[in-house]
Amino acid sequence: MATLKTCTGVCSTGSAFPLSNVTTSNKNTRSSCWKPTQAAVKTSFHLPMRSYEMKNRTCTEDIKCLRLITAIKTPYLPDGRFDLEAYDALVNTQIENGVEGVIVGGTTGEGQLMSWEEHIMLIAHTVNCFGGNIKVIGNTGSNSTREAIHATEQGFAVGMHAALHINPYYGKTSLDGMVAHFQSVLSMGPTIIYNVPSRTGQDIPPHVIQNLAQSTCLAGVKECVGNDRIKEYTDNKIVVWSGNDDECHDSRWGYGATGVVSVASNLIPGLMHELMFGGKNPALNSKLLPLIAWLFQMPNPIGLNTALAQLGVVRPVFRLPFVPLPLEKRIEFANLVKEIGRQHFVGTQDVQVLDDNDFFLVSRY
């Protein structure tokens, strides 16, 4: 078997303190009651919003009603830069098929492989091109509270409608620290909290969410623990989206979830729309489960990236450490497309089984 190609790509002059109480003359002329200036401390201070930013803000209620949100894929050029032409076509297809929101730079969009400059640029690009037709939810979360605050300020400054925030991962904190972390960003605008213990190594327990729900900026929770947890939230009037494509039908129609944040809708937005809007449809759900199982046999977004490349929708370019699924799995995908019907998938080209040497693996980007 051929070897996968690997590409190596391509002083401030102002004082921090006011000087109104200090004179530059002889120290003997200084007032005897002079006291040193105290630094002002403001908790949860955020950059002031400009008038046009206030005008373009979306209220939290507008986010709470979204039923189908796609965790959008980020396509690449052979040198590892963003392929904005392919990205725009993919977002347009989502809009045409009734998707109501996109998560930009999430796990599926490989935000963890982006610089913050790339990340905010892609959010700004999405807002500028599509913000009037779809809600743009920027993944501006981080395990560093400082980074999360800064990125969220920038995301709202460029016009995103809502932020997605994850609990601190790897360097995990206490539950009190988790609450403080989320409270540091909640006041900036509509916020979805993302609970995915399989990635973070730490569950966000319901009592933390119930504490945070006192904020009017909490839109809801993207929950990956399962339908029993979803039921617990919906019983307490907390908006929740399923984060699992394989459970979302039952989450929506049996457990009260508002909808889904979907990976599969990158591929089959029309069918996922039908699953979320058309009422109970166990037959359609069963039809899609083999595809969804195929998508997640390896960590997301490996399956999605492989599938979109075989559909001719994106170039077969992977930013390392992601690599495509092996040949036998690529053959399986082509068969799944034929079983479900090519017309239900994004793109217009016939599905192909790509060879190993068709893929580019980019290590410097």
mmCIF file of all heavy atoms in Angstrom, residues 39-87:
data_model
loop_
_atom_site.group_PDB
_atom_site.id
_atom_site.type_symbol
_atom_site.label_atom_id
_atom_site.label_comp_id
_atom_site.label_asym_id
_atom_site.label_seq_id
_atom_site.Cartn_x
_atom_site.Cartn_y
_atom_site.Cartn_z
ATOM 1 N N ALA A 39 -4.411 51.076 42.892
ATOM 2 C CA ALA A 39 -4.828 50.492 41.615
ATOM 3 C C ALA A 39 -6.293 50.090 41.694
ATOM 4 O O ALA A 39 -6.733 49.518 42.687
ATOM 5 C CB ALA A 39 -3.975 49.261 41.291
ATOM 6 N N ALA A 40 -7.031 50.422 40.635
ATOM 7 C CA ALA A 40 -8.453 50.054 40.605
ATOM 8 C C ALA A 40 -8.591 48.603 40.198
ATOM 9 O O ALA A 40 -7.984 48.156 39.233
ATOM 10 C CB ALA A 40 -9.199 50.945 39.624
ATOM 11 N N VAL A 41 -9.361 47.854 40.940
ATOM 12 C CA VAL A 41 -9.581 46.441 40.644
ATOM 13 C C VAL A 41 -11.038 46.253 40.282
ATOM 14 O O VAL A 41 -11.934 46.585 41.061
ATOM 15 C CB VAL A 41 -9.228 45.543 41.839
ATOM 16 C CG1 VAL A 41 -9.532 44.083 41.510
ATOM 17 C CG2 VAL A 41 -7.763 45.715 42.209
ATOM 18 N N LYS A 42 -11.281 45.753 39.069
ATOM 19 C CA LYS A 42 -12.648 45.477 38.639
ATOM 20 C C LYS A 42 -12.757 44.002 38.312
ATOM 21 O O LYS A 42 -12.010 43.489 37.488
ATOM 22 C CB LYS A 42 -13.019 46.312 37.404
ATOM 23 C CG LYS A 42 -13.116 47.800 37.668
ATOM 24 C CD LYS A 42 -13.629 48.528 36.431
ATOM 25 C CE LYS A 42 -13.782 50.014 36.681
ATOM 26 N NZ LYS A 42 -14.304 50.721 35.503
ATOM 27 N N THR A 43 -13.669 43.323 38.942
ATOM 28 C CA THR A 43 -13.873 41.908 38.642
ATOM 29 C C THR A 43 -14.719 41.763 37.392
ATOM 30 O O THR A 43 -15.618 42.557 37.129
ATOM 31 C CB THR A 43 -14.572 41.206 39.817
ATOM 32 O OG1 THR A 43 -15.823 41.842 40.065
ATOM 33 C CG2 THR A 43 -13.712 41.278 41.069
ATOM 34 N N SER A 44 -14.411 40.728 36.619
ATOM 35 C CA SER A 44 -15.163 40.425 35.393
ATOM 36 C C SER A 44 -15.263 41.641 34.481
ATOM 37 O O SER A 44 -16.312 41.925 33.907
ATOM 38 C CB SER A 44 -16.575 39.909 35.739
ATOM 39 O OG SER A 44 -16.504 38.751 36.512
ATOM 40 N N PHE A 45 -14.156 42.361 34.349
ATOM 41 C CA PHE A 45 -14.142 43.514 33.453
ATOM 42 C C PHE A 45 -13.966 43.033 32.025
ATOM 43 O O PHE A 45 -13.093 42.218 31.736
ATOM 44 C CB PHE A 45 -13.000 44.459 33.818
ATOM 45 C CG PHE A 45 -12.791 45.562 32.822
ATOM 46 C CD1 PHE A 45 -13.645 46.649 32.802
ATOM 47 C CD2 PHE A 45 -11.765 45.490 31.897
ATOM 48 C CE1 PHE A 45 -13.461 47.657 31.876
ATOM 49 C CE2 PHE A 45 -11.581 46.490 30.975
ATOM 50 C CZ PHE A 45 -12.427 47.585 30.969
ATOM 51 N N HIS A 46 -14.784 43.540 31.103
ATOM 52 C CA HIS A 46 -14.687 43.158 29.709
ATOM 53 C C HIS A 46 -14.611 44.410 28.844
ATOM 54 O O HIS A 46 -15.034 45.495 29.246
ATOM 55 C CB HIS A 46 -15.887 42.315 29.272
ATOM 56 C CG HIS A 46 -16.132 41.145 30.177
ATOM 57 N ND1 HIS A 46 -15.150 40.222 30.468
ATOM 58 C CD2 HIS A 46 -17.229 40.768 30.882
ATOM 59 C CE1 HIS A 46 -15.631 39.320 31.299
ATOM 60 N NE2 HIS A 46 -16.890 39.629 31.564
ATOM 61 N N LEU A 47 -14.081 44.252 27.670
ATOM 62 C CA LEU A 47 -13.953 45.382 26.767
ATOM 63 C C LEU A 47 -15.328 45.957 26.454
ATOM 64 O O LEU A 47 -16.283 45.207 26.212
ATOM 65 C CB LEU A 47 -13.279 44.940 25.456
ATOM 66 C CG LEU A 47 -11.828 44.448 25.586
ATOM 67 C CD1 LEU A 47 -11.342 43.955 24.230
ATOM 68 C CD2 LEU A 47 -10.928 45.555 26.095
ATOM 69 N N PRO A 48 -15.468 47.303 26.444
ATOM 70 C CA PRO A 48 -16.772 47.883 26.110
ATOM 71 C C PRO A 48 -17.151 47.577 24.677
ATOM 72 O O PRO A 48 -16.292 47.502 23.796
ATOM 73 C CB PRO A 48 -16.536 49.393 26.310
ATOM 74 C CG PRO A 48 -15.064 49.560 26.143
ATOM 75 C CD PRO A 48 -14.432 48.311 26.678
ATOM 76 N N MET A 49 -18.431 47.376 24.447
ATOM 77 C CA MET A 49 -18.901 47.059 23.103
ATOM 78 C C MET A 49 -19.208 48.328 22.337
ATOM 79 O O MET A 49 -19.703 49.303 22.884
ATOM 80 C CB MET A 49 -20.150 46.177 23.174
ATOM 81 C CG MET A 49 -19.904 44.856 23.868
ATOM 82 S SD MET A 49 -21.171 43.674 23.495
ATOM 83 C CE MET A 49 -20.803 43.313 21.798
ATOM 84 N N ARG A 50 -18.885 48.305 21.075
ATOM 85 C CA ARG A 50 -19.191 49.437 20.209
ATOM 86 C C ARG A 50 -20.668 49.406 19.851
ATOM 87 O O ARG A 50 -21.332 48.386 19.949
ATOM 88 C CB ARG A 50 -18.325 49.385 18.954
ATOM 89 C CG ARG A 50 -16.829 49.426 19.270
ATOM 90 C CD ARG A 50 -16.008 49.158 18.018
ATOM 91 N NE ARG A 50 -14.590 49.167 18.310
ATOM 92 C CZ ARG A 50 -13.894 48.119 18.720
ATOM 93 N NH1 ARG A 50 -14.521 46.968 18.919
ATOM 94 N NH2 ARG A 50 -12.608 48.205 18.957
ATOM 95 N N SER A 51 -21.169 50.536 19.361
ATOM 96 C CA SER A 51 -22.606 50.639 19.121
ATOM 97 C C SER A 51 -23.085 49.619 18.097
ATOM 98 O O SER A 51 -24.138 49.009 18.250
ATOM 99 C CB SER A 51 -22.960 52.052 18.655
ATOM 100 O OG SER A 51 -22.251 52.370 17.469
ATOM 101 N N TYR A 52 -22.292 49.400 17.037
ATOM 102 C CA TYR A 52 -22.752 48.459 16.019
ATOM 103 C C TYR A 52 -22.714 47.026 16.536
ATOM 104 O O TYR A 52 -23.493 46.175 16.101
ATOM 105 C CB TYR A 52 -21.920 48.586 14.740
ATOM 106 C CG TYR A 52 -20.513 48.069 14.822
ATOM 107 C CD1 TYR A 52 -20.210 46.727 14.591
ATOM 108 C CD2 TYR A 52 -19.456 48.929 15.106
ATOM 109 C CE1 TYR A 52 -18.923 46.254 14.658
ATOM 110 C CE2 TYR A 52 -18.160 48.471 15.176
ATOM 111 C CZ TYR A 52 -17.890 47.131 14.948
ATOM 112 O OH TYR A 52 -16.602 46.679 15.010
ATOM 113 N N GLU A 53 -21.812 46.752 17.478
ATOM 114 C CA GLU A 53 -21.782 45.423 18.076
ATOM 115 C C GLU A 53 -23.017 45.190 18.929
ATOM 116 O O GLU A 53 -23.618 44.114 18.922
ATOM 117 C CB GLU A 53 -20.512 45.265 18.917
ATOM 118 C CG GLU A 53 -19.242 45.234 18.069
ATOM 119 C CD GLU A 53 -18.000 45.486 18.893
ATOM 120 O OE1 GLU A 53 -18.114 45.593 20.121
ATOM 121 O OE2 GLU A 53 -16.911 45.599 18.309
ATOM 122 N N MET A 54 -23.421 46.206 19.678
ATOM 123 C CA MET A 54 -24.640 46.089 20.475
ATOM 124 C C MET A 54 -25.846 45.852 19.573
ATOM 125 O O MET A 54 -26.709 45.039 19.856
ATOM 126 C CB MET A 54 -24.856 47.360 21.301
ATOM 127 C CG MET A 54 -23.855 47.540 22.438
ATOM 128 S SD MET A 54 -23.960 46.241 23.690
ATOM 129 C CE MET A 54 -25.596 46.569 24.348
ATOM 130 N N LYS A 55 -25.869 46.561 18.448
ATOM 131 C CA LYS A 55 -27.003 46.447 17.529
ATOM 132 C C LYS A 55 -27.101 45.052 16.943
ATOM 133 O O LYS A 55 -28.194 44.544 16.687
ATOM 134 C CB LYS A 55 -26.837 47.482 16.410
ATOM 135 C CG LYS A 55 -27.988 47.511 15.410
ATOM 136 C CD LYS A 55 -27.795 48.623 14.381
ATOM 137 C CE LYS A 55 -26.592 48.388 13.513
ATOM 138 N NZ LYS A 55 -26.444 49.400 12.456
ATOM 139 N N ASN A 56 -25.933 44.418 16.702
ATOM 140 C CA ASN A 56 -25.923 43.116 16.055
ATOM 141 C C ASN A 56 -25.988 41.951 17.040
ATOM 142 O O ASN A 56 -25.957 40.800 16.638
ATOM 143 C CB ASN A 56 -24.658 42.983 15.200
ATOM 144 C CG ASN A 56 -24.679 43.930 14.016
ATOM 145 O OD1 ASN A 56 -25.735 44.351 13.582
ATOM 146 N ND2 ASN A 56 -23.502 44.278 13.515
ATOM 147 N N ARG A 57 -26.062 42.235 18.330
ATOM 148 C CA ARG A 57 -26.096 41.167 19.323
ATOM 149 C C ARG A 57 -27.368 40.331 19.194
ATOM 150 O O ARG A 57 -28.428 40.828 18.831
ATOM 151 C CB ARG A 57 -26.033 41.748 20.743
ATOM 152 C CG ARG A 57 -24.758 42.444 21.110
ATOM 153 C CD ARG A 57 -23.603 41.551 21.464
ATOM 154 N NE ARG A 57 -23.818 40.547 22.452
ATOM 155 C CZ ARG A 57 -23.508 40.662 23.729
ATOM 156 N NH1 ARG A 57 -23.020 41.788 24.206
ATOM 157 N NH2 ARG A 57 -23.685 39.675 24.564
ATOM 158 N N THR A 58 -27.238 39.075 19.502
ATOM 159 C CA THR A 58 -28.371 38.160 19.531
ATOM 160 C C THR A 58 -28.730 37.891 20.990
ATOM 161 O O THR A 58 -27.850 37.677 21.815
ATOM 162 C CB THR A 58 -28.009 36.837 18.833
ATOM 163 O OG1 THR A 58 -27.750 37.101 17.460
ATOM 164 C CG2 THR A 58 -29.132 35.825 18.952
ATOM 165 N N CYS A 59 -30.013 37.890 21.296
ATOM 166 C CA CYS A 59 -30.408 37.614 22.674
ATOM 167 C C CYS A 59 -30.344 36.106 22.933
ATOM 168 O O CYS A 59 -30.398 35.292 22.008
ATOM 169 C CB CYS A 59 -31.792 38.166 22.963
ATOM 170 S SG CYS A 59 -33.141 37.253 22.209
ATOM 171 N N THR A 60 -30.242 35.767 24.181
ATOM 172 C CA THR A 60 -30.090 34.366 24.572
ATOM 173 C C THR A 60 -31.279 33.528 24.104
ATOM 174 O O THR A 60 -31.113 32.361 23.716
ATOM 175 C CB THR A 60 -29.938 34.268 26.098
ATOM 176 O OG1 THR A 60 -28.850 35.109 26.510
ATOM 177 C CG2 THR A 60 -29.647 32.845 26.530
ATOM 178 N N GLU A 61 -32.472 34.097 24.119
ATOM 179 C CA GLU A 61 -33.660 33.348 23.706
ATOM 180 C C GLU A 61 -33.567 32.910 22.246
ATOM 181 O O GLU A 61 -34.126 31.877 21.869
ATOM 182 C CB GLU A 61 -34.921 34.188 23.932
ATOM 183 C CG GLU A 61 -35.195 34.504 25.392
ATOM 184 C CD GLU A 61 -35.330 33.261 26.253
ATOM 185 O OE1 GLU A 61 -35.998 32.307 25.799
ATOM 186 O OE2 GLU A 61 -34.774 33.236 27.369
ATOM 187 N N ASP A 62 -32.878 33.693 21.408
ATOM 188 C CA ASP A 62 -32.715 33.317 19.998
ATOM 189 C C ASP A 62 -31.850 32.070 19.841
ATOM 190 O O ASP A 62 -31.981 31.341 18.855
ATOM 191 C CB ASP A 62 -32.092 34.470 19.209
ATOM 192 C CG ASP A 62 -33.006 35.677 19.098
ATOM 193 O OD1 ASP A 62 -34.237 35.486 19.162
ATOM 194 O OD2 ASP A 62 -32.501 36.806 18.957
ATOM 195 N N ILE A 63 -30.952 31.852 20.775
ATOM 196 C CA ILE A 63 -30.098 30.668 20.732
ATOM 197 C C ILE A 63 -30.825 29.456 21.309
ATOM 198 O O ILE A 63 -30.702 28.336 20.807
ATOM 199 C CB ILE A 63 -28.786 30.927 21.509
ATOM 200 C CG1 ILE A 63 -28.066 32.159 20.930
ATOM 201 C CG2 ILE A 63 -27.882 29.702 21.461
ATOM 202 C CD1 ILE A 63 -27.691 32.049 19.474
ATOM 203 N N LYS A 64 -31.607 29.678 22.338
ATOM 204 C CA LYS A 64 -32.284 28.574 23.021
ATOM 205 C C LYS A 64 -33.221 27.784 22.106
ATOM 206 O O LYS A 64 -33.496 26.608 22.371
ATOM 207 C CB LYS A 64 -33.080 29.104 24.214
ATOM 208 C CG LYS A 64 -32.236 29.543 25.394
ATOM 209 C CD LYS A 64 -33.128 30.002 26.549
ATOM 210 C CE LYS A 64 -32.318 30.330 27.789
ATOM 211 N NZ LYS A 64 -33.167 30.732 28.927
ATOM 212 N N CYS A 65 -33.729 28.409 21.054
ATOM 213 C CA CYS A 65 -34.727 27.741 20.210
ATOM 214 C C CYS A 65 -34.119 26.971 19.040
ATOM 215 O O CYS A 65 -34.844 26.346 18.270
ATOM 216 C CB CYS A 65 -35.741 28.765 19.706
ATOM 217 S SG CYS A 65 -35.040 30.006 18.600
ATOM 218 N N LEU A 66 -32.804 26.996 18.872
ATOM 219 C CA LEU A 66 -32.178 26.325 17.734
ATOM 220 C C LEU A 66 -32.287 24.811 17.886
ATOM 221 O O LEU A 66 -31.955 24.256 18.932
ATOM 222 C CB LEU A 66 -30.709 26.733 17.622
ATOM 223 C CG LEU A 66 -30.427 28.235 17.488
ATOM 224 C CD1 LEU A 66 -28.916 28.476 17.409
ATOM 225 C CD2 LEU A 66 -31.123 28.820 16.274
ATOM 226 N N ARG A 67 -32.724 24.157 16.827
ATOM 227 C CA ARG A 67 -32.909 22.708 16.901
ATOM 228 C C ARG A 67 -31.810 21.911 16.198
ATOM 229 O O ARG A 67 -31.499 20.801 16.604
ATOM 230 C CB ARG A 67 -34.286 22.346 16.326
ATOM 231 C CG ARG A 67 -35.428 22.681 17.260
ATOM 232 C CD ARG A 67 -36.750 22.804 16.543
ATOM 233 N NE ARG A 67 -36.802 24.050 15.768
ATOM 234 C CZ ARG A 67 -37.869 24.483 15.096
ATOM 235 N NH1 ARG A 67 -38.976 23.751 15.097
ATOM 236 N NH2 ARG A 67 -37.842 25.626 14.434
ATOM 237 N N LEU A 68 -31.266 22.475 15.127
ATOM 238 C CA LEU A 68 -30.210 21.765 14.401
ATOM 239 C C LEU A 68 -29.004 22.688 14.246
ATOM 240 O O LEU A 68 -29.057 23.689 13.533
ATOM 241 C CB LEU A 68 -30.706 21.304 13.029
ATOM 242 C CG LEU A 68 -29.679 20.570 12.151
ATOM 243 C CD1 LEU A 68 -29.092 19.364 12.884
ATOM 244 C CD2 LEU A 68 -30.319 20.124 10.827
ATOM 245 N N ILE A 69 -27.938 22.348 14.950
ATOM 246 C CA ILE A 69 -26.682 23.092 14.913
ATOM 247 C C ILE A 69 -25.603 22.144 14.402
ATOM 248 O O ILE A 69 -25.450 21.030 14.913
ATOM 249 C CB ILE A 69 -26.294 23.609 16.311
ATOM 250 C CG1 ILE A 69 -27.408 24.488 16.893
ATOM 251 C CG2 ILE A 69 -24.972 24.363 16.272
ATOM 252 C CD1 ILE A 69 -27.204 24.838 18.374
ATOM 253 N N THR A 70 -24.879 22.578 13.389
ATOM 254 C CA THR A 70 -23.806 21.746 12.838
ATOM 255 C C THR A 70 -22.463 22.181 13.409
ATOM 256 O O THR A 70 -22.122 23.367 13.382
ATOM 257 C CB THR A 70 -23.755 21.861 11.300
ATOM 258 O OG1 THR A 70 -24.970 21.324 10.759
ATOM 259 C CG2 THR A 70 -22.577 21.085 10.729
ATOM 260 N N ALA A 71 -21.716 21.225 13.923
ATOM 261 C CA ALA A 71 -20.320 21.466 14.291
ATOM 262 C C ALA A 71 -19.527 21.399 12.992
ATOM 263 O O ALA A 71 -19.157 20.322 12.527
ATOM 264 C CB ALA A 71 -19.849 20.416 15.291
ATOM 265 N N ILE A 72 -19.297 22.560 12.391
ATOM 266 C CA ILE A 72 -18.867 22.633 10.996
ATOM 267 C C ILE A 72 -17.406 22.238 10.825
ATOM 268 O O ILE A 72 -16.553 22.567 11.654
ATOM 269 C CB ILE A 72 -19.132 24.046 10.417
ATOM 270 C CG1 ILE A 72 -19.132 24.039 8.880
ATOM 271 C CG2 ILE A 72 -18.179 25.071 10.994
ATOM 272 C CD1 ILE A 72 -20.359 23.420 8.291
ATOM 273 N N LYS A 73 -17.125 21.538 9.754
ATOM 274 C CA LYS A 73 -15.775 21.115 9.388
ATOM 275 C C LYS A 73 -14.976 22.301 8.837
ATOM 276 O O LYS A 73 -15.525 23.179 8.169
ATOM 277 C CB LYS A 73 -15.872 20.010 8.341
ATOM 278 C CG LYS A 73 -14.718 19.881 7.360
ATOM 279 C CD LYS A 73 -13.490 19.288 7.981
ATOM 280 C CE LYS A 73 -12.367 19.102 6.928
ATOM 281 N NZ LYS A 73 -11.069 18.848 7.550
ATOM 282 N N THR A 74 -13.675 22.339 9.130
ATOM 283 C CA THR A 74 -12.776 23.335 8.552
ATOM 284 C C THR A 74 -11.931 22.671 7.468
ATOM 285 O O THR A 74 -11.094 21.826 7.773
ATOM 286 C CB THR A 74 -11.844 23.931 9.619
ATOM 287 O OG1 THR A 74 -12.615 24.431 10.710
ATOM 288 C CG2 THR A 74 -11.011 25.065 9.027
ATOM 289 N N PRO A 75 -12.129 23.036 6.192
ATOM 290 C CA PRO A 75 -11.323 22.433 5.111
ATOM 291 C C PRO A 75 -9.977 23.151 4.961
ATOM 292 O O PRO A 75 -9.825 24.308 5.350
ATOM 293 C CB PRO A 75 -12.191 22.658 3.860
ATOM 294 C CG PRO A 75 -13.482 23.251 4.336
ATOM 295 C CD PRO A 75 -13.211 23.875 5.662
ATOM 296 N N TYR A 76 -9.020 22.450 4.348
ATOM 297 C CA TYR A 76 -7.670 22.989 4.197
ATOM 298 C C TYR A 76 -7.176 22.919 2.755
ATOM 299 O O TYR A 76 -7.586 22.052 1.977
ATOM 300 C CB TYR A 76 -6.686 22.217 5.082
ATOM 301 C CG TYR A 76 -7.068 22.188 6.535
ATOM 302 C CD1 TYR A 76 -7.403 20.986 7.160
ATOM 303 C CD2 TYR A 76 -7.102 23.351 7.283
ATOM 304 C CE1 TYR A 76 -7.758 20.959 8.505
ATOM 305 C CE2 TYR A 76 -7.461 23.338 8.627
ATOM 306 C CZ TYR A 76 -7.786 22.137 9.224
ATOM 307 O OH TYR A 76 -8.144 22.121 10.547
ATOM 308 N N LEU A 77 -6.266 23.835 2.443
ATOM 309 C CA LEU A 77 -5.499 23.788 1.210
ATOM 310 C C LEU A 77 -4.304 22.855 1.408
ATOM 311 O O LEU A 77 -3.973 22.501 2.545
ATOM 312 C CB LEU A 77 -5.016 25.196 0.849
ATOM 313 C CG LEU A 77 -6.122 26.215 0.540
ATOM 314 C CD1 LEU A 77 -5.548 27.632 0.491
ATOM 315 C CD2 LEU A 77 -6.830 25.872 -0.760
ATOM 316 N N PRO A 78 -3.629 22.460 0.332
ATOM 317 C CA PRO A 78 -2.511 21.510 0.482
ATOM 318 C C PRO A 78 -1.387 21.980 1.398
ATOM 319 O O PRO A 78 -0.654 21.154 1.937
ATOM 320 C CB PRO A 78 -2.017 21.337 -0.958
ATOM 321 C CG PRO A 78 -3.241 21.558 -1.792
ATOM 322 C CD PRO A 78 -3.999 22.646 -1.087
ATOM 323 N N ASP A 79 -1.259 23.294 1.595
ATOM 324 C CA ASP A 79 -0.216 23.770 2.504
ATOM 325 C C ASP A 79 -0.710 23.923 3.935
ATOM 326 O O ASP A 79 0.014 24.405 4.809
ATOM 327 C CB ASP A 79 0.365 25.099 2.007
ATOM 328 C CG ASP A 79 -0.662 26.222 1.925
ATOM 329 O OD1 ASP A 79 -1.837 25.989 2.303
ATOM 330 O OD2 ASP A 79 -0.310 27.326 1.481
ATOM 331 N N GLY A 80 -1.965 23.546 4.181
ATOM 332 C CA GLY A 80 -2.501 23.564 5.529
ATOM 333 C C GLY A 80 -3.283 24.810 5.893
ATOM 334 O O GLY A 80 -3.883 24.863 6.966
ATOM 335 N N ARG A 81 -3.287 25.819 5.014
ATOM 336 C CA ARG A 81 -4.100 27.005 5.280
ATOM 337 C C ARG A 81 -5.574 26.690 5.066
ATOM 338 O O ARG A 81 -5.931 25.714 4.416
ATOM 339 C CB ARG A 81 -3.677 28.166 4.365
ATOM 340 C CG ARG A 81 -2.294 28.723 4.652
ATOM 341 C CD ARG A 81 -1.925 29.827 3.660
ATOM 342 N NE ARG A 81 -1.861 29.324 2.290
ATOM 343 C CZ ARG A 81 -2.511 29.866 1.261
ATOM 344 N NH1 ARG A 81 -3.285 30.922 1.438
ATOM 345 N NH2 ARG A 81 -2.385 29.349 0.061
ATOM 346 N N PHE A 82 -6.445 27.554 5.599
ATOM 347 C CA PHE A 82 -7.883 27.356 5.419
ATOM 348 C C PHE A 82 -8.260 27.437 3.947
ATOM 349 O O PHE A 82 -7.798 28.326 3.226
ATOM 350 C CB PHE A 82 -8.688 28.421 6.172
ATOM 351 C CG PHE A 82 -8.575 28.363 7.667
ATOM 352 C CD1 PHE A 82 -8.916 29.468 8.430
ATOM 353 C CD2 PHE A 82 -8.158 27.225 8.317
ATOM 354 C CE1 PHE A 82 -8.829 29.436 9.816
ATOM 355 C CE2 PHE A 82 -8.065 27.171 9.698
ATOM 356 C CZ PHE A 82 -8.397 28.290 10.448
ATOM 357 N N ASP A 83 -9.125 26.527 3.533
ATOM 358 C CA ASP A 83 -9.720 26.579 2.194
ATOM 359 C C ASP A 83 -11.082 27.249 2.345
ATOM 360 O O ASP A 83 -12.099 26.583 2.547
ATOM 361 C CB ASP A 83 -9.850 25.170 1.621
ATOM 362 C CG ASP A 83 -10.363 25.156 0.183
ATOM 363 O OD1 ASP A 83 -10.841 26.215 -0.292
ATOM 364 O OD2 ASP A 83 -10.307 24.084 -0.454
ATOM 365 N N LEU A 84 -11.110 28.574 2.251
ATOM 366 C CA LEU A 84 -12.341 29.313 2.514
ATOM 367 C C LEU A 84 -13.386 29.096 1.430
ATOM 368 O O LEU A 84 -14.587 29.188 1.685
ATOM 369 C CB LEU A 84 -12.034 30.803 2.675
ATOM 370 C CG LEU A 84 -11.227 31.164 3.932
ATOM 371 C CD1 LEU A 84 -10.965 32.660 3.977
ATOM 372 C CD2 LEU A 84 -11.943 30.710 5.205
ATOM 373 N N GLU A 85 -12.958 28.805 0.214
ATOM 374 C CA GLU A 85 -13.929 28.519 -0.852
ATOM 375 C C GLU A 85 -14.716 27.252 -0.539
ATOM 376 O O GLU A 85 -15.947 27.227 -0.641
ATOM 377 C CB GLU A 85 -13.206 28.381 -2.189
ATOM 378 C CG GLU A 85 -14.140 28.165 -3.372
ATOM 379 C CD GLU A 85 -13.419 28.080 -4.700
ATOM 380 O OE1 GLU A 85 -12.194 28.294 -4.726
ATOM 381 O OE2 GLU A 85 -14.085 27.786 -5.713
ATOM 382 N N ALA A 86 -14.017 26.200 -0.135
ATOM 383 C CA ALA A 86 -14.694 24.953 0.236
ATOM 384 C C ALA A 86 -15.520 25.155 1.501
ATOM 385 O O ALA A 86 -16.630 24.615 1.627
ATOM 386 C CB ALA A 86 -13.665 23.840 0.432
ATOM 387 N N TYR A 87 -15.000 25.932 2.434
ATOM 388 C CA TYR A 87 -15.724 26.207 3.682
ATOM 389 C C TYR A 87 -17.038 26.928 3.391
ATOM 390 O O TYR A 87 -18.097 26.556 3.922
ATOM 391 C CB TYR A 87 -14.842 27.056 4.596
ATOM 392 C CG TYR A 87 -15.482 27.470 5.901
ATOM 393 C CD1 TYR A 87 -15.501 26.602 6.991
ATOM 394 C CD2 TYR A 87 -16.059 28.731 6.055
ATOM 395 C CE1 TYR A 87 -16.074 26.980 8.198
ATOM 396 C CE2 TYR A 87 -16.638 29.113 7.262
ATOM 397 C CZ TYR A 87 -16.645 28.235 8.317
ATOM 398 O OH TYR A 87 -17.224 28.613 9.513
#
